[in-house]
Amino acid sequence: MSENKQNGIQEFEYKAEMKQLLNLIVHSLYTHPEIFLRELISNASDALSKVRFGQLTDNSAGEEGEELKITIALDEKERTVVIKDNGTGMSEEELIANLGTVAKSGTLGFLQTLKAEQGEKGGIDANLIGQFGVGFYSVFMVTDEVTVETKTDGAVGCRWKSGGEGSYTIEKTDREKRGTAISFTLKEEAKEFAEAYRVENIIRKYSNFVDFPIYLDNKKVNSVTALWQKSKSELSEEEVNEFYKFIAVDYQEPLDYLHLSLEGVVNFKALLFLPKEAPMDLLYQQGALENHGPQLYVRKVMIQHECKDLLPEYLRFVKGVVETEDLPLNVSREVVQNSPVMAKIRQILTTKIIAWFESLAAEQPEKFRRFYKAFGPVVKIGLNTDFTNREKLIELLRFVSTATEEEEYVTLKEYVGRMTEDQKEIYYLSGDSREQMLSNPNLEYFRKKGIEVLLLTDPVDVFVIPSINEYDKKPLKSVEKADIDFKAGEEQEKEALSEAMIGTVLRIFRETLGDRVEDVAESRRLVSSPVTLVSGKDSVDPQIEKMLRMMKQADAPGGKKVLEVNPSHAVIKNLAGLCMLDENNPLIRTTIHHLYEGALLLEGSLEGTAEYISRMNDIIEVATRQAKS
Ligand code: ADP
């Protein structure tokens, strides 16, 4: 950032990333420009929270006389807006750090998302701005220039000004009062935001539950109630939904909510929500839940905006507020983390939330399904991290299987309930999609026998499900593992090959494929396919392998498989015939390579199809030539 001193006014240049961001905000079409107001009010409210917190915890500060509040003044004729708060304010350094740079890690993600949205829909959902913590700049949707006058305790006042293009200026002022005033003139097309009734509606819509009074031209317009303090019967659905939208910054209503009021070893009240959909960052950012969590209040004062210690990571998508009397007000983050009270609250909350999921599953299956679709992949992680609740989490699991209809799910309990007496194990197969898995030759035997197989489609399944090991004393086993007991010899096809011929075919398969496979074996599981690939006894699940390869893990397991050959299949019988005539017929080797790569293709791990296709053409050429003669 360069500086340019002139009559006490310093000019600063924005960094490139920041310019890009501002440029997008200024020149893009937003679907809801009104949210600039929510963002500015939310910043003011944060600054006020810090003052209130300071007053309550720092004894020397004592009671301060002036009411903590936000005031908004509008002038319709001049199209001007002034938003004031008597919060912490900012020093010059803070102004530069907070309004001159984008330090947030989410910014790049934000830029990318904005660009994608704009390309796709021709407009941008301004809700995204709030999600990515670049709220202040949203004001440039409605104005060409913003002035921020601010003062913090113990520093001189400053005036910050920017046109949202390449630079901003800062000068010192003789402002005496602590706090911040943000003023600007609205662009012609945004003049509606100087109309009192319009602004009042926006405040009601987005900021009704802000913890401090908001005065619009001297009239108080928000309700300032701590909903979680009310008893269940006093809560109206509408009010609760509005509250959710406010704290979760969601335009949709919640999927469901839970109100808790606990007295006992610890005392706390909570109002918790399940969103209808997973937020985007949950999907594309690893560890996105690390810093999430409900808001923590202690004796009516907000202590933490996103308190991650309230819930285990696998539940941190739950939104809401938790308030307790049992923590001291002057809690630092470390104290919160290590406090036994906190541990107890967390333990109780976890139990209650899981019970909530259980009752949704039992009483409102549609809701549960929607919840599971959005957050199931996250909850499953709990199986490997929360051993206290593991059994309950296992009961919550839902699967598609070879026996479920589209959009229908089965629980492990149901699966076991419909196992036949002979079946001793629970079988699963993992893959990218139900359709792809249904065409997997490894299912043929199970199909024929009418044995249900769970189809794992969620990428986290392969890390979680095998770790269950057993359910109801029945081991869980991948159908791709080679050691499944197929009741040897059972139902051998009458026209199968002789032992000697099978031996020859297997030998030629082995010679041809060399170290591309771990081994070649006779199959008992195949019905209508000539060959299939199965994992060796000690190898990892093929899905895990695929993921490791995708993540370019250098030391990913070699991935060698056992190729099983179906001696009753016409192609294998023909091959045996060809071997008897002349083992060196090149068509034999071409066919073997082709069968092997076809199996790879089916399990989704054939890299590059050019060779496969060209070989296929060779084979078709032979086939058509023979048909002709
Ligand atoms: P976010 O609020 O997500 O941090 P913003 O771009 O909205 O991002 O604001 C950047 C920072 O500027 C805030 O984190 C805060 O430190 C500071 N700030 C903004 N508005 C005010 C205000 N009214 N009073 C004090 N500080 C403020």
Side-chain angles (χ1 to χ4, degrees):
M1 122 190 31
S2 76
E3 283 181 36
N4 214 333
K5 249 188 178 153
Q6 243 180 21
N7 349 313
I9 304 181
Q10 288 175 276
E11 185 169 355
F12 299 81
E13 190 75 16
Y14 285 121
K15 287 225 181 84
E17 188 192 38
M18 183 72 190
K19 282 187 192 166
Q20 221 185 333
L21 174 72
L22 287 168
N23 193 25
L24 262 166
I25 291 177
V26 176
H27 297 290
S28 301
L29 283 171
Y30 282 94
T31 47
H32 299 84
E34 65 197 34
I35 63 103
F36 83 89
L37 201 58
R38 172 186 72 191
E39 298 302 322
L40 296 185
I41 290 176
S42 147
N43 282 345
S45 164
D46 288 347
L48 290 164
S49 287
K50 286 180 201 154
V51 171
R52 176 147 78 192
F53 184 64
Q55 283 175 355
L56 284 157
T57 52
D58 177 7
N59 294 330
S60 64
E63 285 285 293
E64 187 126 327
E66 209 188 356
E67 181 190 28
L68 294 173
K69 63 183 177 193
I70 299 167
T71 57
I72 301 176
L74 305 173
D75 186 326
E76 219 179 312
K77 232 170 66 219
E78 301 292 326
R79 297 206 309 266
T80 57
V81 180
V82 183
I83 301 175
K84 276 193 223 173
D85 65 71
N86 49 354
T88 49
M90 286 173 273
S91 66
E92 183 173 351
E93 294 72 43
E94 286 167 332
L95 265 176
I96 294 170
N98 295 336
L99 302 187
T101 47
V102 205
K104 316 264 164 34
S105 56
T107 313
L108 273 181
F110 174 70
L111 279 173
Q112 282 158 1
T113 317
L114 276 190
K115 282 184 190 156
E117 284 260 316
Q118 192 166 30
E120 234 172 67
K121 303 181 188 159
I124 291 174
D125 184 350
N127 257 310
L128 288 171
I129 290 183
Q131 274 187 31
F132 284 87
V134 285
F136 172 79
Y137 309 105
S138 62
V139 70
F140 288 112
M141 292 191 284
V142 297
T143 183
D144 293 324
E145 188 181 68
V146 180
T147 304
V148 178
E149 306 222 4
T150 186
K151 179 181 162 6
T152 191
D153 284 334
V156 295
C158 285
R159 181 181 298 119
W160 178 100
K161 231 183 224 206
S162 177
E165 294 285 331
S167 64
Y168 61 92
T169 59
I170 295 183
E171 63 187 301
K172 303 218 164 25
T173 64
D174 48 14
R175 182 186 170 95
E176 282 175 4
K177 283 194 148 178
R178 185 203 63 224
T180 304
I182 296 174
S183 49
F184 47 92
T185 303
L186 294 162
K187 294 180 193 172
E188 169 64 27
E189 69 263 29
K191 63 177 183 216
E192 62 191 290
F193 302 117
E195 294 164 17
Y197 85 95
R198 176 83 172 99
V199 170
E200 183 170 341
N201 280 336
I202 300 172
I203 295 173
R204 289 257 165 74
K205 183 166 168 195
Y206 296 112
S207 311
N208 196 29
F209 298 98
V210 164
D211 236 0
F212 299 91
I214 303 173
Y215 294 93
L216 175 60
D217 293 333
N218 296 322
K219 176 183 147 203
K220 189 172 147 206
V221 288
N222 61 330
S223 44
V224 200
T225 40
L227 275 198
W228 58 94
Q229 294 281 0
K230 294 189 177 182
S231 72
K232 217 175 272 184
S233 56
E234 286 176 305
L235 289 173
S236 81
E237 181 97 9
E238 199 191 340
E239 187 174 44
V240 169
N241 286 348
E242 288 307 311
F243 178 66
Y244 164 76
K245 288 188 197 167
F246 168 67
I247 52 158
V249 198
D250 194 347
Y251 64 96
Q252 297 198 83
E253 291 183 351
L255 183 65
D256 202 40
Y257 75 91
L258 178 69
H259 182 273
L260 293 173
S261 177
L262 275 116
E263 284 167 30
V265 196
V266 287
N267 304 288
F268 68 89
K269 290 189 163 65
L271 193 54
L272 301 171
F273 298 91
L274 285 180
K276 280 201 169 113
E277 272 157 41
M280 269 186 313
D281 57 354
L282 200 63
L283 301 176
Y284 73 71
Q285 239 173 276
Q286 247 187 339
L289 288 168
E290 173 57 22
N291 291 314
H292 283 232
Q295 299 180 351
L296 173 66
Y297 276 72
V298 174
R299 294 174 229 182
K300 300 202 169 57
V301 181
M302 190 202 283
I303 301 293
Q304 270 183 42
H305 205 70
E306 300 200 299
C307 182
K308 61 175 191 164
D309 303 303
L310 281 168
L311 292 173
E313 188 165 345
Y314 73 94
L315 293 179
R316 285 195 205 136
F317 54 84
V318 173
K319 305 269 181 190
V321 176
V322 176
E323 170 157 8
T324 181
E325 308 269 304
D326 297 347
L327 282 169
L329 264 174
N330 56 346
V331 280
S332 63
R333 246 160 233 268
E334 290 68 40
V335 172
V336 170
Q337 244 164 30
N338 301 319
S339 133
V341 171
M342 202 63 186
K344 195 73 205 159
I345 294 180
R346 172 175 156 140
Q347 185 204 330
I348 297 175
L349 276 177
T350 305
T351 316
K352 294 281 177 191
I353 289 173
I354 293 176
W356 177 23
F357 297 163
E358 285 165 350
S359 75
L360 281 182
E363 289 151 29
Q364 303 187 70
E366 270 313 309
K367 258 192 196 176
F368 182 79
R369 181 177 311 201
R370 182 145 189 194
F371 151 74
Y372 193 79
K373 211 167 173 179
F375 300 104
V378 184
V379 176
K380 281 177 200 166
I381 295 166
L383 243 69
N384 287 348
T385 54
D386 182 355
F387 296 100
T388 322
N389 292 298
R390 190 176 149 88
E391 300 307 316
K392 290 184 194 161
L393 294 173
I394 288 176
E395 296 297 340
L396 289 175
L397 293 173
R398 296 293 184 272
F399 300 92
V400 289
S401 81
T402 49
T404 56
E405 300 291 327
E406 193 86 31
E407 291 289 301
E408 199 190 58
Y409 298 95
V410 60
T411 62
L412 284 175
K413 193 179 223 145
E414 286 160 352
Y415 179 101
V416 169
R418 52 199 197 204
M419 273 166 64
T420 59
E421 236 169 75
D422 299 343
Q423 192 184 339
K424 303 280 181 262
E425 297 169 326
I426 298 170
Y427 297 109
Y428 64 84
L429 174 65
S430 61
D432 296 332
S433 70
R434 183 189 145 109
E435 287 63 41
Q436 181 230 3
M437 280 186 272
L438 286 176
S439 62
N440 189 316
N442 291 346
L443 284 180
E444 287 170 4
Y445 171 86
F446 297 87
R447 278 264 180 72
K448 193 170 148 196
K449 294 272 158 201
I451 300 172
E452 183 171 10
V453 176
L454 302 173
L455 302 173
L456 312 184
T457 46
D458 178 358
V460 309
D461 282 343
V462 289
F463 294 103
V464 173
I465 307 305
S467 78
I468 297 176
N469 269 325
E470 334 193 300
Y471 176 83
D472 195 17
K473 303 216 175 63
K474 320 254 182 323
L476 272 80
K477 204 168 240 182
S478 161
V479 301
E480 305 205 2
K481 289 275 183 181
D483 67 338
I484 288 176
D485 174 19
F486 285 103
K487 301 213 173 105
E490 180 196 55
E491 284 185 51
Q492 276 292 3
E493 299 288 327
K494 285 153 247 128
E495 301 154 55
L497 297 169
S498 72
E499 284 299 315
M501 280 171 109
I502 293 172
T504 309
V505 170
L506 294 184
R507 173 173 56 78
I508 295 181
F509 261 90
R510 281 189 200 109
E511 281 169 16
T512 308
L513 295 174
D515 57 9
R516 291 183 85 179
V517 291
E518 187 184 299
D519 195 11
V520 181
E522 185 183 347
S523 182
R524 297 187 193 284
R525 72 180 84 212
L526 290 173
V527 179
S528 52
S529 298
V531 297
T532 189
L533 282 166
V534 297
S535 311
K537 234 180 173 160
D538 305 314
S539 62
V540 293
D541 186 281
Q543 284 303 106
I544 295 196
E545 238 175 59
K546 210 190 301 171
M547 265 173 99
L548 291 174
R549 246 180 289 141
M550 254 158 40
M551 285 150 58
K552 300 223 163 49
Q553 289 255 342
D555 52 355
K560 272 197 208 167
K561 295 279 187 68
V562 174
L563 185 76
E564 287 192 359
V565 175
N566 178 1
S568 346
H569 195 278
V571 170
I572 303 302
K573 286 190 207 161
N574 289 347
L575 273 182
L578 289 177
C579 292
M580 295 301 124
L581 289 174
D582 174 12
E583 268 192 43
N584 296 320
N585 182 349
L587 183 63
I588 299 176
R589 276 154 234 273
T590 307
T591 307
I592 290 176
H593 277 298
H594 202 63
L595 288 171
Y596 169 70
E597 291 197 357
L600 284 179
L601 184 66
L602 264 184
E603 65 166 31
S605 51
L606 180 64
E607 281 166 21
T609 46
E611 208 180 313
Y612 181 79
I613 298 292
S614 106
R615 197 186 310 102
M616 184 175 80
N617 290 337
D618 291 347
I619 296 172
I620 297 176
E621 196 269 323
V622 173
T624 46
R625 182 168 4 113
Q626 279 168 359
K628 203 172 68 179
S629 60

